[in-house]
Amino acid sequence: MARPNDEVGALLQEYADLVAITGGDAYRARVYEKAARSVAGYHADVSTLDAAGLRRIPNVGTSIADKIVAYFRTGHIDVVEELRAKIPAGVRELTAIPTLGPRKAMVLYDKRGISSVPELLAALDAGKLTGLKGFGPKTEENLRHGIELLQQIGSRVHINVAMEVAEGIVAELSAVTGCDRCTYAGSLRRMRETIGDIDILAASRHPQRLMETLTHLDAVSEVIAHGETKTSVRTTHGMQVDLRVVRPEAWGAALQYFTGSKPHNVRTREIAVRQKLKLSEYGLFEVGSGKLIVSKSEDEVYARLGLPWIPPPLREDRGEIEAALAGELPTLVTQRDIRGDLHTHTNLTDGVASLGEMVAAAAARGYSYYAITDHAPNLSMQRMTDEKMLAQRAEVRALEGRYGKLRLLHGTELNIDPDGEVDWGPEFLAGFDICVASVHSHFTQSRDEMTKRLLRACENPYVNIIGHPTGRLIGQRPPVEADLDAVFKACARTGTALEVNAFPDRLDLNDECVLRAKRYGVKFAIDTDAHAVAHLDMLRYGIGTAQRGWLTRDDVINTWPLRRLKAFLRKGRS
Ligand code: DGT
Ligand code: CA
Ligand code: CA
Ligand code: ZN
């Protein structure tokens, strides 16, 4: 995604938030929020468009187009500045707390002068919210819980944010003369869902050049430490980046060391010690003589320890060493194995691209099949009707065959209601090629109710995939409480797949749940839940999560040939 689109999207979203916080027109806030999403998801770089070009973006009218033009001319938008001047930035930060909406944030500021998360926490502790209208004991408990969630993610960022920064830096450094190799290591190479800092590794005989280049990048706002072999900087996004430059001969040992994880490295070092060897970021050495044995490639390092090369997403000491020693490492699913996406949206509901645009993008990715799964009617803000759904099906059928080998599946994303029922009865459901079913409301049911609810959905013969199964939003909403093992068992028994939703703020199921579910024989669908063309690229994060959950191609239904997939989707129905 083009950076200017993200920038403008963020600004429009901020404006929408500020309008809502200051008690402005709710309709206006929604208009800007929609525009923010459309701009962020738009395929062309908005900084290159004139007012007419901007108006062609869905949800962008004359007034918003003019504001975007003004932004690129002057660097700011007047109305945003005006609202910013009225309320401290911290008040908007308060709305990042789950369950704390704009109206409540404004009450906290107006009545108690609270304008930051720490101030709110202090006020809660001191009992200063007692008696404040709308802030009963239950609300207070929710607030504390929400703040806890926010603090868990702390200064870590979602993987896609770190990935964009890291890939930009790797590209710049790789272009420097004398740079032999350059890549990112650490948690990013292991594809963790959130990233603390970015670790970049380079091999060169002229480390100073690379260090200098890094410190002078536009994206760098501060140099934290500048040394011979390691330089640390902070980016304008606020992320720390550590660059280590090693001699080309030591590349493999250094890459193995800085990829981690620490627990994995502890295990590899123990294996070395047992063989009277010493493993460090410089290489694998003989203990007595100090003689270097290997260091050039990761392959050699692992091989000399008696291990096959271990894919980075597995390096968490979750059994990969034992599996490697036994020759039983899984052959992990890769992005190339994916034949299609099974959960995607269009502008018929809350997507920003048309059916035609999404299908063309799917074809361009070389997919063999692609499912369109717009929201079903019970998510009432999406205004879906039977007629609209059937009209879309006709459009989908008309597109069939238009893009060579691409086959289209017409589906829907059903809402699992509090009792586990979905939007339509069997007759209407039978008309779909595929049904995803997700929890979109009543997230805080009791564990028992939630478990029953999910089990009932699995038992529905038309439900093929449970979408974003735990409903968590990283740093924003906790996973639902349910007996997941019971759900995994039911999925395996009924032929219901669990989704690995690739959206970076979801990554749901997460890696650990995937690994657990796999043990029950569950099948998975790695889907993007795309609401824009650009979102189809998020697939890689779903793949990373699936790899961290030890999934192979066979575990993932959207790697299968269409015939096998279709048989699975029939779910035992005749
Ligand atoms: P993060 O940054 O919190 O997302 O996680 P990592 O895994 O990237 O951790 P980080 O940046 O502290 O270190 C990167 C890698 O470098 C880590 O995975 C293993 C290696 N490493 C760093 N410091 C140590 C250490 O003190 N001992 C060991 N064994 N390895 C280390
Ligand atoms: Ca790191
Ligand atoms: Ca680091
Ligand atoms: Zn969806």
PDB file of all heavy atoms in Angstrom, residues 186 196-199 230 240-242 244 258, ligand 3:
ATOM      1  N   GLY A 186      15.387 -11.659  13.744  1.00  0.00           N
ATOM      2  CA  GLY A 186      14.527 -11.462  14.924  1.00  0.00           C
ATOM      3  C   GLY A 186      13.107 -11.989  14.755  1.00  0.00           C
ATOM      4  O   GLY A 186      12.823 -12.854  13.927  1.00  0.00           O
ATOM      5  N   GLY A 196       8.640  -6.271  18.616  1.00  0.00           N
ATOM      6  CA  GLY A 196       9.185  -5.307  19.573  1.00  0.00           C
ATOM      7  C   GLY A 196      10.142  -4.346  18.897  1.00  0.00           C
ATOM      8  O   GLY A 196       9.918  -3.131  18.856  1.00  0.00           O
ATOM      9  N   ASP A 197      11.221  -4.865  18.332  1.00  0.00           N
ATOM     10  CA  ASP A 197      12.089  -4.012  17.517  1.00  0.00           C
ATOM     11  C   ASP A 197      12.522  -4.785  16.280  1.00  0.00           C
ATOM     12  O   ASP A 197      12.362  -6.011  16.209  1.00  0.00           O
ATOM     13  CB  ASP A 197      13.287  -3.476  18.316  1.00  0.00           C
ATOM     14  CG  ASP A 197      14.274  -4.565  18.709  1.00  0.00           C
ATOM     15  OD1 ASP A 197      14.209  -5.687  18.170  1.00  0.00           O
ATOM     16  OD2 ASP A 197      15.129  -4.286  19.566  1.00  0.00           O
ATOM     17  N   ILE A 198      13.023  -4.047  15.305  1.00  0.00           N
ATOM     18  CA  ILE A 198      13.399  -4.660  14.030  1.00  0.00           C
ATOM     19  C   ILE A 198      14.895  -4.938  14.057  1.00  0.00           C
ATOM     20  O   ILE A 198      15.689  -4.048  14.378  1.00  0.00           O
ATOM     21  CB  ILE A 198      13.062  -3.701  12.861  1.00  0.00           C
ATOM     22  CG1 ILE A 198      11.548  -3.473  12.805  1.00  0.00           C
ATOM     23  CG2 ILE A 198      13.594  -4.232  11.540  1.00  0.00           C
ATOM     24  CD1 ILE A 198      11.123  -2.446  11.774  1.00  0.00           C
ATOM     25  N   ASP A 199      15.284  -6.167  13.763  1.00  0.00           N
ATOM     26  CA  ASP A 199      16.695  -6.540  13.725  1.00  0.00           C
ATOM     27  C   ASP A 199      17.105  -6.746  12.275  1.00  0.00           C
ATOM     28  O   ASP A 199      16.588  -7.636  11.606  1.00  0.00           O
ATOM     29  CB  ASP A 199      16.910  -7.829  14.514  1.00  0.00           C
ATOM     30  CG  ASP A 199      16.484  -7.679  15.955  1.00  0.00           C
ATOM     31  OD1 ASP A 199      17.250  -7.077  16.719  1.00  0.00           O
ATOM     32  OD2 ASP A 199      15.367  -8.121  16.305  1.00  0.00           O
ATOM     33  N   LYS A 230      27.306  -2.394  15.469  1.00  0.00           N
ATOM     34  CA  LYS A 230      25.870  -2.285  15.684  1.00  0.00           C
ATOM     35  C   LYS A 230      25.461  -0.822  15.751  1.00  0.00           C
ATOM     36  O   LYS A 230      26.105  -0.023  16.415  1.00  0.00           O
ATOM     37  CB  LYS A 230      25.478  -2.984  16.986  1.00  0.00           C
ATOM     38  CG  LYS A 230      24.005  -2.842  17.316  1.00  0.00           C
ATOM     39  CD  LYS A 230      23.607  -3.613  18.562  1.00  0.00           C
ATOM     40  CE  LYS A 230      22.246  -3.134  19.046  1.00  0.00           C
ATOM     41  NZ  LYS A 230      21.817  -3.772  20.290  1.00  0.00           N
ATOM     42  N   GLN A 240      12.183   0.942  17.043  1.00  0.00           N
ATOM     43  CA  GLN A 240      13.640   0.829  17.107  1.00  0.00           C
ATOM     44  C   GLN A 240      14.120  -0.169  16.061  1.00  0.00           C
ATOM     45  O   GLN A 240      13.517  -1.219  15.865  1.00  0.00           O
ATOM     46  CB  GLN A 240      14.086   0.372  18.503  1.00  0.00           C
ATOM     47  CG  GLN A 240      15.610   0.262  18.590  1.00  0.00           C
ATOM     48  CD  GLN A 240      16.098  -0.017  20.003  1.00  0.00           C
ATOM     49  OE1 GLN A 240      15.492   0.421  20.968  1.00  0.00           O
ATOM     50  NE2 GLN A 240      17.207  -0.744  20.103  1.00  0.00           N
ATOM     51  N   VAL A 241      15.217   0.201  15.392  1.00  0.00           N
ATOM     52  CA  VAL A 241      15.834  -0.696  14.415  1.00  0.00           C
ATOM     53  C   VAL A 241      17.282  -0.920  14.822  1.00  0.00           C
ATOM     54  O   VAL A 241      18.022   0.041  15.025  1.00  0.00           O
ATOM     55  CB  VAL A 241      15.793  -0.091  12.993  1.00  0.00           C
ATOM     56  CG1 VAL A 241      16.466  -1.030  11.998  1.00  0.00           C
ATOM     57  CG2 VAL A 241      14.365   0.220  12.565  1.00  0.00           C
ATOM     58  N   ASP A 242      17.673  -2.180  14.996  1.00  0.00           N
ATOM     59  CA  ASP A 242      19.062  -2.539  15.283  1.00  0.00           C
ATOM     60  C   ASP A 242      19.691  -3.071  14.005  1.00  0.00           C
ATOM     61  O   ASP A 242      19.197  -4.043  13.448  1.00  0.00           O
ATOM     62  CB  ASP A 242      19.137  -3.657  16.338  1.00  0.00           C
ATOM     63  CG  ASP A 242      18.600  -3.226  17.690  1.00  0.00           C
ATOM     64  OD1 ASP A 242      18.543  -2.011  17.958  1.00  0.00           O
ATOM     65  OD2 ASP A 242      18.246  -4.118  18.489  1.00  0.00           O
ATOM     66  N   ARG A 244      23.068  -4.841  12.558  1.00  0.00           N
ATOM     67  CA  ARG A 244      24.377  -5.433  12.811  1.00  0.00           C
ATOM     68  C   ARG A 244      25.015  -5.755  11.480  1.00  0.00           C
ATOM     69  O   ARG A 244      24.360  -6.325  10.597  1.00  0.00           O
ATOM     70  CB  ARG A 244      24.287  -6.730  13.602  1.00  0.00           C
ATOM     71  CG  ARG A 244      24.136  -6.533  15.087  1.00  0.00           C
ATOM     72  CD  ARG A 244      22.831  -7.086  15.468  1.00  0.00           C
ATOM     73  NE  ARG A 244      22.599  -7.056  16.898  1.00  0.00           N
ATOM     74  CZ  ARG A 244      21.375  -7.090  17.415  1.00  0.00           C
ATOM     75  NH1 ARG A 244      20.317  -7.134  16.623  1.00  0.00           N
ATOM     76  NH2 ARG A 244      21.208  -7.071  18.709  1.00  0.00           N
ATOM     77  N   PHE A 258      20.783 -14.099  15.453  1.00  0.00           N
ATOM     78  CA  PHE A 258      19.894 -12.943  15.582  1.00  0.00           C
ATOM     79  C   PHE A 258      18.454 -13.220  15.130  1.00  0.00           C
ATOM     80  O   PHE A 258      17.589 -12.380  15.290  1.00  0.00           O
ATOM     81  CB  PHE A 258      20.477 -11.725  14.854  1.00  0.00           C
ATOM     82  CG  PHE A 258      21.697 -11.195  15.546  1.00  0.00           C
ATOM     83  CD1 PHE A 258      22.949 -11.278  14.950  1.00  0.00           C
ATOM     84  CD2 PHE A 258      21.590 -10.641  16.814  1.00  0.00           C
ATOM     85  CE1 PHE A 258      24.077 -10.816  15.606  1.00  0.00           C
ATOM     86  CE2 PHE A 258      22.708 -10.174  17.481  1.00  0.00           C
ATOM     87  CZ  PHE A 258      23.962 -10.256  16.877  1.00  0.00           C
TER      88      PHE A 258
HETATM   89 CA    CA B   3      16.685  -6.187  18.796  1.00  0.00          CA
END
